[in-house]
Amino acid sequence: MATAVTAPTAEAAVTEFWDGLVVGASLATLDGDAGYGAIEDGALGWRDGRIAFVGRRRDLPGDPERLADLVVEADGGWITPGLVDCHTHLVFAGDRAGEFEQRLQGASYEEIARSGGGIVSTVRATREAGEDALLAQSLPRARALLADGATTLEIKSGYGLDLDGERKMLRVARRIGQSLGVDVRTTFLGAHALPPEYTGRADDYIAQACNWLATLHAEGLVDAVDAFAERIGFTIAQTRRVFEVARALGLPVKLHADQLSDGDGAALVAGFGGLSADHVEHTSPEGVRAMARAGTVAVLLPGAFHVLRETTLPPLAEFRAQGVPMAVATDCNPGTSPLLSLRQAMQLACTHFRLTPEEALRGATVNAARALGLDDRGALRTGLRADFVHWNIARPAELCYWLGGPLARAVYAGGHRLS
């Protein structure tokens, strides 16, 4: 049992009248390096979008009704930090269900991509969609993630692959956050694939993408920079050029690294002090050590692993041995991970990668926040954002046990109830 946070005095509580207070649920605070940080019969108070009290109900500095404008009797269940989906591509037009059928008939992801499918097919549909239409198609996906406990979303560009298309995607990502009342972190992924008009001229395309990055950053649309370093993506040298521009602009970097082969992607992003290396199924021991030295998070994407029926596991033992934090995300995208539940991604991480339920929950909260460079969320601690979920469960492991189904009773972001 974790020790409760020291309660404020009754005088302080009256002076700082809280906006809301939930009592009567167990709390999985995740406040510490190990364990759930469990508090039974807990209380969680918030003010001005920040957590003001977390501890046992009996340690409240007075009667609940005298402490907050809104008092919610939880009547059981568990409260966890809000989930953080740190890797999504949820802004896109169309779908790629046909490719799903092709893969079931034996076609590989690389074969589909080289024959004109894959990312480039989504680029065509996304370029053709107007901004409002793109928003209308993307909002339901975002709502589905929020309904299952996500309170922070990362959204990448990368399906425009020209200046107007990338700008449109990033603008839609910002509008999603404004429409739904959640924090959306935007990532420029211009180096996602080579568009048809640049066939055979990858270096020229990278030069243009670097120019677009500077323009879009100046417009306030970019929080971080990503790239796809892979045999069917971009070389390490080309990726390095993008990262050097990002560094000059003061933007953090992350990378789709070592998904299909060991291309030294994890070591490259770690060399830039990157926030995360994502996928990492083929990352070498040297790459793991580089990530450990740099503090780079390993973002596990079991949805893509599942859909592509991959068999090579990420180097999980090495990550644990080297102390590399492991995050879990949906990789929500139309081709390889049409996954609309971060909780389901946690379940897949346990099933395919043998993460413990605690590791999976930390991966979707504390470590996912770290993968976005955010230190103000991911745990239940005074002073952090009041992002939390009240779950209809008897123990935290149930979040990774149930295959689907509605478990979230209420989802709060910044102290405001979303659902």
Side-chain angles (χ1 to χ4, degrees), residues 44-67:
L44 183 71
W46 66 94
R47 181 173 183 266
D48 296 333
R50 299 279 170 174
I51 296 174
F53 178 90
V54 55
R56 297 172 297 185
R57 176 174 12 197
R58 71 188 187 198
D59 292 330
L60 282 168
D63 293 332
E65 291 75 12
R66 298 175 63 87
L67 296 173

Side-chain angles (χ1 to χ4, degrees), residues 405-416:
L407 296 185
R409 290 192 197 177
V411 181
Y412 291 79
H416 298 287

